[in-house]
């Protein structure tokens, strides 16, 4: 299939329409930022320290990727029926074909997240606090692998910054979402200012994580109940990965389309 410029513009419009639809923040999402303040107050100190260590590990992802870094070598598994071995090879694939690979990957990660949520939901509040950084780890891997599907390399620090901004986007309110979308829209520009702004915000990585944690507070509150938390944990984690995968696919999809339009007409 040969993609025409008109077809790419239609697909770009779909991404832009999705961005416009992200401006809603339901009342219970706002109220949902409260429960974790109570959870923190009554959670044993040793569990809080464990969470702090894991969050610090996630922070190292920004600088080096650490153990959370995905490898481009996984490309072949995403396109098993194609001769795709490098990120450059991805450029030969139609956007629709890339979408299919990213959707399959997202589906697999949602199942993994559901299993993890069920496992940690059994123990109620004690395993709940540990579940949060584990869930963030799955989401980081999901976003990186989606990036690879669309031809972007998470080994590049700029891409890791982009991924962190997607995490922040999902957990932000209306004002925050608009600001982040504006930053990301200029991410591939030659201007230094947008990237400097993103870099400066990365100094607050822990704040990004805590904001995200508070954002899913009301959902995780149902997971406090031992045993019953198994069902809630599976559903909540699957939903959380679905949200981050959807955002990752749309935002990376948009960049891939814009890059192709730029290559066709550099002016």
């Amino acid at each position: 299939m040969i993609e025409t410029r008109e077809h790419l513009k239609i697909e770009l419009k779909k991404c832009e329409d999705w961005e416009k639809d992200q401006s809603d923040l339901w009342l219970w999402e706002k109220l949902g930022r409260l429960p974790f303040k109570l959870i923190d107050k009554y959670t044993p100190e040793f569990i809080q320290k464990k969470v702090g260590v894991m969050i610090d590990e996630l922070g190292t992802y920004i600088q080096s990727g650490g153990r959370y870094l995905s490898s481009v070598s996984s490309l072949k598994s995403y396109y098993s029926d194609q001769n795709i071995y490098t990120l450059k090879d991805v450029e030969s694939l139609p956007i629709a074909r890339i979408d299919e690979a990213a959707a399959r990957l997202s589906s697999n990660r949602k199942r993994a997240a559901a299993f993890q949520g069920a496992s940690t939901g059994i123990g109620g509040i004690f395993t709940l606090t540990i579940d949060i950084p584990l869930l963030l780890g799955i989401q980081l891997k999901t976003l990186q692998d989606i990036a690879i599907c669309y031809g972007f390399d998470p080994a590049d620090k700029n891409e890791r910054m982009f991924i962190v901004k997607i995490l922040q986007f999902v957990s932000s309110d209306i004002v925050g979402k608009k600001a982040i979308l504006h930053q990301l829209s200029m991410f591939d520009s030659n201007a230094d200012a947008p990237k400097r702004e993103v870099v400066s915000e990365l100094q607050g990585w822990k704040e990004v994580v805590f904001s995200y944690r508070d954002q899913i507070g009301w959902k995780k509150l149902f997971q406090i109940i031992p045993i019953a938390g198994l069902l809630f944990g599976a559903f909540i984690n699957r939903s959380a990965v679905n949200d981050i995968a959807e955002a990752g696919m749309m935002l990376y999809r948009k960049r891939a389309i814009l890059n192709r339009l730029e290559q066709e007409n550099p002016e």
Side-chain angles (χ1 to χ4, degrees), residues 103-118 138 234 237-238 241:
R104 284 197 302 272
L105 184 150
S106 300
S107 180
N108 291 336
R109 294 301 165 78
K110 283 186 284 187
R111 285 195 292 270
F115 177 78
Q116 176 198 291
I138 288 181
N237 281 20
R238 181 183 177 87
V241 171

Side-chain angles (χ1 to χ4, degrees), residues 72-86 148:
V72 174
S73 62
S74 58
L75 260 178
K76 180 58 181 176
S77 64
Y78 303 151
Y79 301 105
S80 57
D81 58 341
Q82 303 280 334
N83 293 320
I84 303 298
Y85 302 99
T86 68
I148 292 171

